Amino acid sequence: MFKRMLILVVLLGGMLLIAQAQSSQREIYTVLSYGDEAFESETWLASASELGARTTATWRNDLEGALAYADYIHFDDGFDPETMDDAFGARWFDVTLSAYQGWRELNNCTIETEEVFIRLYEFSLQQNNIKYTMRYWITPAEDDTRVLTMFVLYPTNELETLDEYAERLFPEAIKCEDTGVG
């Protein structure tokens, strides 16, 4: 009888440990999940990394010359959308887009409802004599200590495809209306 009780206690304890381990998800999977419904695994290769101040994911579609990147940035003291321009202003984009041979901002807009706050930037870029269009979204995550920045980059002659992926990722913020910025 004692052996059966001991086995039962061990089994129950093991089940509790497994349930607890499954409930806490590594942040790397959280970031990769942003692309789960958008990027087909047959054509998009995914990679990700966890760092102290951010968690990142990259999706590459070499066949179409496309790239997507998510940066889940940690703001351990919290993030206030009112200060978005301070954190993600011109200097942010100067550094973020410095690998491209040339870039310019085409548009930007803010989509704000009771459910979402999204800042969207649209860029024209050039790399290796190929012109690209980029949509770059910035939005606070559900946890007020994280901000998601994400972009999708496509050759400019594939704007319809870029629109399709933008709609899958951010249906509220597919593209900005022509504001004449840039």
Side-chain angles (χ1 to χ4, degrees), residues 28-143:
I28 199 166
Y29 298 115
T30 301
V31 177
L32 283 168
S33 73
Y34 282 100
D36 282 348
E37 299 298 317
F39 305 117
E40 306 88 354
S41 60
E42 302 82 37
T43 54
W44 290 85
L45 299 175
S47 62
S49 66
E50 289 177 310
L51 304 167
R54 62 184 7 113
T55 304
T56 64
T58 304
W59 296 267
R60 282 187 5 255
N61 183 329
D62 295 336
L63 185 63
E64 296 181 349
L67 177 70
Y69 180 81
D71 193 356
Y72 204 60
I73 304 169
H74 304 180
F75 288 87
D76 293 332
D77 294 331
F79 181 80
D80 180 4
E82 300 282 328
T83 64
M84 186 171 287
D85 289 335
D86 296 336
F88 301 101
R91 183 176 172 168
W92 172 264
F93 288 110
D94 284 340
V95 172
T96 301
L97 303 176
S98 65
Y100 295 94
Q101 293 165 339
W103 63 272
R104 69 183 174 94
E105 183 179 333
L106 300 173
N107 285 317
N108 72 69
C109 55
T110 301
I111 296 83
E112 186 172 6
T113 68
E114 288 185 22
E115 292 82 30
V116 298
F117 181 92
I118 302 171
R119 178 73 53 86
L120 170 59
Y121 294 87
E122 298 173 329
F123 294 101
S124 173
L125 305 109
Q126 185 168 337
Q127 184 69 19
N128 298 323
N129 295 319
I130 300 171
K131 292 185 180 189
Y132 293 94
T133 299
M134 173 189 283
R135 306 264 169 81
Y136 194 107
W137 298 269
I138 303 172
T139 186
E142 288 181 24
D143 174 355

